[in-house]
Amino acid sequence: MNNTGFLSGQSAGCIVRSRLYVILILQLCSLLACGALSAKEAEAANLSFNGIRFITHSPFLFDVLNSERPPQSPMNAAHMALFKQMKFKPAVELTVTSRIIAALSEETPACAFMIVKSPEREAAFDFSLPTDYLLSHRLYQTTDTPPLPAELLNDDNELASLRALFSYYPQRKLMLLKDRSHGALLDAQIADLPDSVKYYRWGSHQYDSDIQMLVRERGEYILAYPYDIQREAQNYPEITFQSAAIAGNSAIKTGHMMCNRNPDTADFLSTVNDALRKLYHQPVFLEAHLKFNDPSAHDALRLGLKKLQQL
């Protein structure tokens, strides 16, 4: 301070800098505190659900949850966004699709990821809101199999039904994964087919193995999502795939968490649904689905999201 009672410029500068340092330190402390709170919240969330057994049939989701690798599919990316929203990271077991119902039929609280609803499953288990969604199943074949004849198609160029197809071609095969659901309409049509046209396999890989079997000519047809064909087609550059929609099938198919019924899983699903209702309105959820799908699917996926936002 000078003899006039005012601070010198140098002293004033020092005080201003000191105040800035204090502000920065306080802000840093605040951020660290928030980070600690988030970690505590995450730990609390994990502890509150640690009595639940979490199961997946997807080796890809299993790998993402147990490694630092980023998700490489819309389903995995959507689940990781959901878990981040919940501040929760489940410890997941990997099993084959055919064992999921048995696991959820035990008394231990249990939930499975990426499950398609069916009337039978809804009667026995509880479901979350949609955790992910894709353009729905189509009937796929390679160009080694002749195109579907016009008399099997309706005015919208859709296959009238699976029954119509295999009545016309009773010697051909539809390749399926044991205990996988394709939704109510297709499940009913599959059940209506004679066993002689159904070729079942076992395993946990959902559609990549179906596509591989189609390429190897183990059968003539599979039911697959366009996303899976798009992803796997690069592995078979010499193969051309053809497809047809199936009349009456929904345009969008949704995946869900499916849990057995007890208070612990009911609380978990309530937490999941609260998080999903928020997530549907965040850009990260739509981006998770657009990023890995062909641009030709984007308009339909945006329309599908609008329907989810109304749930």
Side-chain angles (χ1 to χ4, degrees):
M1 183 175 296
N2 60 25
N3 58 6
T4 62
F6 293 95
L7 292 174
S8 68
Q10 183 176 3
S11 298
C14 289
I15 290 177
V16 170
R17 284 194 295 272
S18 297
R19 288 176 176 171
L20 287 174
Y21 292 151
V22 169
I23 291 170
L24 289 172
I25 290 170
L26 288 173
Q27 289 177 336
L28 179 59
C29 290
S30 176
L31 289 172
L32 290 173
C34 290
L37 182 61
S38 296
K40 288 179 180 178
E41 288 174 345
E43 182 179 0
N46 282 344
L47 288 174
S48 65
F49 301 132
N50 66 1
I52 301 175
R53 182 185 181 193
F54 294 105
I55 304 166
T56 183
H57 56 67
S58 169
F60 306 110
L61 179 61
F62 181 82
D63 288 345
V64 169
L65 284 169
N66 289 281
S67 72
E68 298 300 320
R69 286 179 291 180
Q72 296 296 322
S73 76
M75 296 78 72
N76 292 345
H79 275 77
M80 296 308 289
L82 171 61
F83 296 144
K84 184 176 181 180
Q85 177 83 19
M86 296 173 63
K87 301 181 176 66
F88 170 66
K89 185 177 181 180
V92 176
E93 301 174 32
L94 179 64
T95 190
V96 295
T97 302
S98 58
R99 293 179 183 165
I100 286 178
I101 298 297
L104 267 63
S105 298
E106 298 175 0
E107 291 186 5
T108 302
C111 295
F113 301 140
M114 298 185 184
I115 304 297
V116 173
K117 285 185 177 182
S118 70
E120 295 77 16
R121 291 173 176 178
E122 289 189 86
F125 304 104
D126 289 334
F127 284 80
S128 71
L129 293 174
T131 53
D132 56 89
Y133 66 106
L134 290 170
L135 297 191
S136 198
H137 300 88
R138 296 173 67 91
L139 181 80
Y140 280 91
Q141 63 181 73
T142 70
T143 50
D144 291 333
T145 298
L148 298 177
E151 53 263 43
L152 296 182
L153 305 177
N154 64 17
D155 292 341
D156 295 320
N157 222 33
E158 300 170 322
L159 176 66
S161 69
L162 294 177
R163 166 64 79 171
L165 172 63
F166 289 102
S167 294
Y168 198 93
Y169 293 121
Q171 302 306 314
R172 295 185 181 178
K173 301 286 186 185
L174 176 66
M175 294 176 285
L176 300 159
L177 176 64
K178 184 67 175 175
D179 291 332
R180 177 176 59 200
S181 175
H182 301 83
L185 182 138
L186 293 183
D187 286 353
Q189 291 197 19
I190 291 168
D192 188 48
L193 295 175
D195 290 341
S196 58
V197 305
K198 294 182 281 193
Y199 182 107
Y200 280 105
R201 68 174 181 85
W202 299 73
S204 57
H205 286 262
Q206 287 290 298
Y207 293 100
D208 49 344
S209 294
D210 288 8
I211 296 167
Q212 185 179 73
M213 291 175 67
L214 182 64
V215 170
R216 292 178 177 177
E217 300 181 351
R218 301 289 179 85
E220 288 78 20
Y221 304 104
I222 62 172
L223 294 167
Y225 293 111
Y227 161 75
D228 288 292
I229 296 293
Q230 168 204 323
R231 184 195 68 225
E232 292 296 317
Q234 60 186 335
N235 297 323
Y236 308 103
E238 74 286 2
I239 298 295
T240 300
F241 297 95
Q242 294 179 331
S243 72
I246 299 168
N249 196 26
S250 59
I252 295 290
K253 199 61 60 70
T254 55
H256 304 258
M257 294 187 191
M258 180 175 76
C259 301
N260 54 14
R261 289 171 176 162
N262 63 65
D264 288 346
T265 55
D267 287 345
F268 175 70
L269 287 177
S270 177
T271 302
V272 168
N273 289 341
D274 287 344
L276 283 168
R277 289 189 179 96
K278 297 175 183 176
L279 193 60
Y280 294 157
H281 296 274
Q282 296 176 14
V284 65
F285 188 75
L286 178 60
E287 179 58 28
H289 292 85
L290 299 186
K291 180 178 180 181
F292 300 102
N293 274 282
D294 188 81
S296 62
H298 287 187
D299 286 346
L301 291 171
R302 289 190 177 96
L303 183 61
L305 178 59
K306 290 181 179 180
K307 294 181 178 180
L308 297 187
Q309 290 171 340
Q310 297 170 7
L311 297 176

